[in-house]
Amino acid sequence: MENKKKSSILLFVLFLILSVSSIAFGQLKTDFYKNTCPNVESLVRSAVRLKFQQTFVTAPATLRLFFHDCFVRGCDASMLLASPNGKAEKDHPDNLSLAGDGFDTVVKAKAAVDSDSKCRNKVSCADILALATREVVAMTGGPFYPVELGRRDGKISTLTSVQHQLPGEGFNLDQLNTMFARRGLSQTDMIALSGAHTLGFSHCNRVSKRLYNFNPKSSVDPTLNKAYVAQLKQMCPLRVDPRIAINMDPTTPNTFDNAYYKNLQQGKGLFVSDQILFTDSRSRNTVNFFASNNDAFKQAFATAMTNLGRVGVLTGNQGEIRFDCTRPN
């Protein structure tokens, strides 16, 4: 009887959480700023385009920043908050590899929005990050999708809140699905979002285990393509500087396309968590589908980004609209 009661309470709490989440993202809409800042999208686009022309890293850095922000405390721009004592989300070891260009993109886009007197302090940093992310995806050849707006910025950012909230490069399919499902994202969403690894780079210290110390039976991960192993070992020899960068997509690293999935078919996924999508039969069909149909991948990615953008959002009287993206008002 006691267990039944506990189960009922747990179910009720889960129902409340899901209800609150659905109410929150139900308040998001693509034309949220039509009266307060009607040209918000063009203001953000111009600023992001200028930044992108200065450095390509703008694209993968902004995209990764959005993902990391949404996965910790929801899409509330708390990842942008700075802490004087190094105790904010951005200071966690899992976030130290986030390139500064992503943060800079949001700061520049915020300045552009606030330069319009009608828009000043009317648009949240969380919404600016969501819009900037759509722009970098489109600028590199990915889909241009509608962005739901109306998020408020979070006031809290703690180092501890990042712990065990981001997928690891050694995750298997069950671990990936569990982590994404907790945020209301399906396996298809997860596989589509993993396709973001078609852009950007990682570092040698993230893959050296697969090359030199995989397990007691094999020093090299047997799921890796042999020619790719030789290529990676050349770029990441033993005792190399761990900060040396390697492209996530060895074929078209500067283009948002479905090459990521074609690479997985050939054993060229940089992380275990990439390659598992092909080696595990439960996800292989989706990988094969995206590899054979670039349009289907882009459509699935756009849907997944919309779903990701709804995770844990603050709306209405929750949160605030930060005057400075790096600190609470």
Side-chain angles (χ1 to χ4, degrees), residues 57 60-69 72 79-80 89-104 162 166 201 203 206:
V57 178
T62 306
L63 180 51
R64 194 159 171 249
L65 178 61
F66 180 66
F67 179 85
H68 279 231
D69 181 55
V72 181
M79 195 63 70
L80 292 155
E89 286 173 33
K90 65 190 292 191
D91 302 308
H92 190 278
D94 289 351
N95 289 321
L96 292 178
S97 62
L98 288 170
D101 286 298
F103 296 91
D104 191 45
V162 183
L166 292 163
F201 54 86
H203 300 89
R206 297 283 185 180

Side-chain angles (χ1 to χ4, degrees), residues 5 13 59 77 88 112 120 176-177 181 239 247 259 287 294 312:
K5 196 175 176 185
V13 170
R120 190 166 300 129
L176 288 168
N177 278 336
R239 290 179 289 281
N247 289 326
V287 169
N294 197 26

Side-chain angles (χ1 to χ4, degrees), residues 49-329:
R49 190 166 289 155
L50 191 61
K51 173 75 181 160
F52 180 70
Q53 284 164 358
Q54 291 162 358
T55 171
F56 177 82
V57 178
T58 298
T62 306
L63 180 51
R64 194 159 171 249
L65 178 61
F66 180 66
F67 179 85
H68 279 231
D69 181 55
C70 291
F71 257 57
V72 181
R73 305 188 74 93
C75 310
D76 66 347
S78 54
M79 195 63 70
L80 292 155
L81 289 171
S83 159
N85 55 1
K87 292 285 169 69
E89 286 173 33
K90 65 190 292 191
D91 302 308
H92 190 278
D94 289 351
N95 289 321
L96 292 178
S97 62
L98 288 170
D101 286 298
F103 296 91
D104 191 45
T105 299
V106 181
V107 168
K108 285 187 161 62
K110 164 79 169 159
V113 170
D114 284 351
S115 68
D116 184 317
S117 59
K118 194 171 183 185
C119 301
R120 190 166 300 129
N121 300 328
K122 301 273 175 63
V123 183
S124 68
C125 300
D127 279 346
I128 288 171
L129 174 55
L131 285 168
T133 302
R134 187 266 307 275
E135 294 307 325
V136 297
V137 167
M139 283 173 198
T140 49
F144 184 88
Y145 51 91
V147 177
E148 295 176 338
L149 301 166
R151 298 168 192 80
R152 289 292 190 260
D153 297 322
K155 302 176 186 181
I156 301 163
S157 183
T158 65
L159 192 109
T160 50
S161 61
V162 183
Q163 206 64 27
H164 309 304
Q165 296 305 312
L166 292 163
E169 61 263 19
F171 271 22
N172 61 31
L173 189 68
D174 290 325
Q175 289 171 305
L176 288 168
N177 278 336
T178 300
M179 183 166 274
F180 278 72
R182 264 194 248 134
R183 290 154 179 85
L185 299 165
S186 67
Q187 178 175 288
T188 304
D189 288 332
M190 181 270 290
I191 298 169
L193 289 169
S194 298
H197 286 174
T198 185
L199 296 178
F201 54 86
S202 186
H203 300 89
C204 287
N205 62 334
R206 297 283 185 180
V207 291
S208 59
K209 191 178 190 302
R210 293 187 80 196
L211 303 175
Y212 301 106
N213 188 28
F214 188 62
N215 63 31
K217 287 182 184 172
S218 171
S219 58
V220 177
D221 183 344
T223 64
L224 271 171
N225 176 298
K226 286 184 171 59
Y228 189 43
V229 169
Q231 194 185 334
L232 288 172
K233 281 187 169 183
Q234 207 172 359
M235 291 186 283
C236 299
L238 272 171
R239 290 179 289 281
V240 71
D241 183 336
R243 293 166 301 179
I244 294 286
I246 32 175
N247 289 326
M248 295 291 297
D249 172 356
T251 49
T252 57
N254 292 352
T255 308
F256 193 100
D257 57 19
N258 64 340
Y260 168 80
Y261 303 101
K262 294 175 183 177
N263 292 334
L264 296 186
Q265 290 174 322
Q266 296 168 42
K268 294 180 180 178
L270 190 64
F271 296 152
V272 167
S273 57
D274 291 315
Q275 197 55 50
I276 200 72
L277 302 181
F278 184 73
T279 54
D280 195 308
S281 59
R282 294 171 295 169
S283 46
R284 188 181 301 139
N285 286 346
T286 307
V287 169
N288 287 337
F289 179 50
F290 289 163
S292 67
N293 192 325
N294 197 26
D295 288 339
F297 158 54
K298 287 180 178 178
Q299 201 175 337
F301 184 82
T303 300
M305 286 297 280
T306 301
N307 293 337
L308 175 62
R310 294 170 171 175
V311 173
V313 293
L314 304 172
T315 58
N317 295 325
Q318 306 165 308
E320 63 184 9
I321 291 176
R322 272 183 235 145
F323 305 151
D324 175 343
C325 289
T326 65
R327 58 174 191 260
N329 294 345

